[in-house]
């Protein structure tokens, strides 16, 4: 069977490269120049992100794992028959949750939704040894994957949708609210939603998390240019750019940028782009919004959820919030 037809292991949809080219043309010509952060995650970018999660300066992943381990039983009780994780990454978070929930949990369908086929394959491997768990993968966007998962046949019981890792932080407020409402719309009343979100903390600490002394985050950011060169026949000189992270206090977000260190011409053949960047000009590649705990409660309530529990890691300031569709 061709890899295109293997269920659960589908390749990027045809035209995915064209999508990248189109988005590049659109976003790179805006003022300020920008790129959607989802393009950071090709195979190399995903591997670099996994490395970031192990950095001593990036505490989010470890803080969230501690919370999942401490409260797993309460989160994944016997009444849950389907868990749907949007953006499972390596599968480590769900695996920690399953382990913490222990044998009391009944049969479970686990739906994994991600645009990255290699992430799905890795997450599947991390989860396939759990007993009474059936794994289904959806290589598509969160919204489509969530709808597919909710339409799928299942055992009687509640669903639990999970959006972890502070991935919510990548959305700007209007996009975030629209996303939360679309999650709510796909669920039935009584279904659960578990949200992991990073909290505001001292600026110095936040900046170190996004500009680490080993330069892994810089490599993660610069890989976007290298991906453009690989996939779209770009001729972008990586030496002409530096990684730049800043705290935007007014918007409560960390921003990552690629800063042009000199005046230079950028030619990207397959996106039909040819333009000049000035010295100091930036390409905005990611926002990571940081929240306060009550803000998380109110954005969930505005979107049709009732909050059942909120756990906070006091060492690294991270919140795990368990809500219920009402
Ligand atoms: C995976 C989006 C949660 O914003 O903290 C890590 C990505 N960017 N270092 C984040 C990221 C730079 C990460 N998220």
């Amino acid at each position: 069977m061709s890899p295109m037809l293997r269920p659960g292991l589908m390749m990027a949809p045809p035209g995915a490269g064209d999508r990248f080219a189109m988005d590049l043309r659109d976003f790179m010509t805006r003022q300020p120049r920008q790129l959607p952060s989802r393009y950071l995650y090709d195979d190399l970018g995903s591997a670099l992100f996994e490395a970031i999660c192990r950095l001593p300066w990036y505490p989010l992943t470890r803080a969230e794992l501690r919370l999942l381990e401490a409260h797993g039983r309460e989160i994944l009780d016997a009444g849950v028959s389907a868990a749907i994780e949007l953006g499972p990454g390596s599968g480590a978070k769900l695996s920690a949750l399953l382990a913490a929930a222990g044998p009391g949990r009944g049969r479970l369908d686990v739906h994994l939704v991600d645009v990255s086929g290699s992430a799905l394959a890795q997450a599947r491997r991390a989860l396939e040894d759990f007993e009474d768990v059936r794994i289904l993968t959806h290589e598509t966007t969160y919204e489509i994957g969530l709808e597919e998962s909710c339409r799928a046949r299942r055992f009687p019981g509640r669903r639990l949708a999970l959006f972890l890792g502070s991935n919510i932080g990548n959305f700007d407020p209007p996009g975030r609210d629209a996303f939360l409402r679309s999650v709510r719309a796909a669920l039935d009343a009584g279904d659960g939603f578990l949200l992991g979100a990073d909290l505001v903390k001292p600026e110095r600490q936040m900046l170190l998390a996004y500009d680490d002394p080993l330069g892994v985050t810089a490599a993660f950011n610069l890989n976007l240019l290298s991906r453009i060169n690989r996939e779209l026949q770009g001729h972008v000189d990586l030496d002409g750019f530096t990684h730049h992270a800043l705290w935007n206090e007014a918007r409560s977000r960390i921003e990552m940028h690629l800063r042009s260190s000199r005046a230079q011409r950028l030619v990207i053949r397959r996106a039909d782009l040819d333009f000049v960047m000035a010295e100091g000009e930036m390409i905005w590649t990611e926002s990571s919004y940081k929240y306060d705990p009550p803000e998380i409660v109110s954005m969930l309530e505005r979107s049709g959820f009732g909050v059942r529990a909120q756990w906070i890691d006091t060492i690294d300031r991270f919140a795990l919030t368990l809500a219920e569709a009402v």
Side-chain angles (χ1 to χ4, degrees):
M1 211 187 291
S2 98
M4 296 287 293
L5 299 174
R6 236 149 70 210
L9 251 181
M10 296 207 313
M11 300 281 99
D18 303 341
R19 186 77 237 224
F20 186 23
M22 273 166 51
D23 280 342
L24 207 67
R25 275 180 66 85
D26 174 357
F27 288 90
M28 282 286 245
T29 53
R30 291 190 194 182
Q31 225 33 261
R33 297 188 197 280
Q34 52 196 274
L35 282 171
S37 59
R38 65 174 173 280
Y39 290 115
L40 290 163
Y41 302 91
D42 63 347
D43 282 359
L44 179 53
S46 299
L48 288 166
F49 176 66
E50 289 299 320
I52 289 174
C53 293
R54 296 167 194 233
L55 294 174
W57 307 278
Y58 190 83
L60 283 72
T61 319
R62 287 181 299 276
E64 189 175 50
L65 280 174
R66 285 197 292 270
L67 293 171
L68 289 167
E69 279 158 11
H71 307 288
R73 252 175 233 276
E74 197 172 334
I75 296 166
L76 204 62
D77 63 46
V80 176
S81 60
I84 306 162
E85 186 172 9
L86 308 175
S90 66
K93 294 169 294 226
L94 202 50
S95 161
L97 182 62
L98 287 170
R105 152 192 74 70
R107 275 194 303 179
L108 190 69
D109 273 352
V110 166
H111 294 267
L112 306 171
V113 180
D114 207 295
V115 287
S116 157
S118 60
L120 287 174
Q122 202 191 342
R124 174 188 284 280
R125 280 195 301 276
L127 297 165
E128 66 194 356
D129 288 340
F130 284 98
E131 259 174 68
D132 291 325
V133 168
R134 179 171 66 166
I135 300 164
L136 303 109
T137 55
H138 306 264
E139 186 173 333
T140 179
T141 62
Y142 297 148
E143 279 87 351
I144 295 174
L146 181 61
E147 289 200 351
E148 284 178 6
S149 311
C150 287
R151 275 201 306 268
R153 287 245 317 269
R154 60 177 172 139
F155 330 116
R158 282 178 281 119
R159 303 180 177 90
L160 175 69
L162 306 99
F163 197 46
L164 301 175
S166 206
N167 284 327
I168 190 84
N170 279 168
F171 289 107
D172 62 9
R176 172 200 72 201
D177 290 346
F179 169 75
L180 291 176
R181 287 200 192 97
S182 77
V183 173
R184 171 60 192 91
L187 298 174
D188 292 334
D191 286 343
F193 179 46
L194 184 69
L195 180 65
D198 199 22
L199 301 175
V200 178
K201 59 203 96 191
E203 179 172 348
R204 175 181 36 90
Q205 246 168 284
M206 289 190 288
L207 284 176
L208 258 182
Y210 290 85
D211 194 1
D212 65 89
L214 285 178
V216 182
T217 310
F220 175 64
N221 198 9
L222 285 158
N223 173 57
L224 197 44
L225 297 176
S226 140
R227 177 177 185 182
I228 288 171
N229 289 347
R230 286 193 297 274
E231 294 181 21
L232 300 177
Q233 291 183 291
H235 297 273
V236 181
D237 182 5
L238 268 65
D239 284 340
F241 287 88
T242 54
H243 169 67
H244 184 57
L246 63 91
W247 169 241
N248 184 331
E249 163 112 63
R251 299 279 170 87
S252 193
R253 68 188 186 208
I254 291 282
E255 296 174 10
M256 285 205 319
H257 298 264
L258 290 161
R259 183 183 180 279
S260 177
S261 37
R262 51 180 154 79
Q264 58 186 316
R265 181 174 165 202
L266 276 80
V267 180
I268 303 161
R269 293 275 298 279
R270 280 199 50 211
D272 208 12
L273 276 172
D274 185 342
F275 61 95
V276 170
M277 281 186 72
E279 178 184 343
E281 202 184 334
M282 312 230 254
I283 305 169
W284 177 19
T285 53
E286 184 184 56
S287 294
S288 300
Y289 284 81
K290 305 297 171 187
Y291 302 98
D292 287 317
E295 233 185 312
I296 300 171
V297 172
S298 61
M299 73 197 200
L300 284 164
E301 287 177 346
R302 274 200 310 275
S303 312
F305 292 99
V307 169
R308 298 290 164 255
Q310 186 173 56
W311 301 285
I312 290 162
D313 184 276
T314 47
I315 303 167
D316 290 315
R317 304 291 304 154
F318 191 95
L320 203 55
T321 309
L322 181 62
E324 186 183 313
V326 289

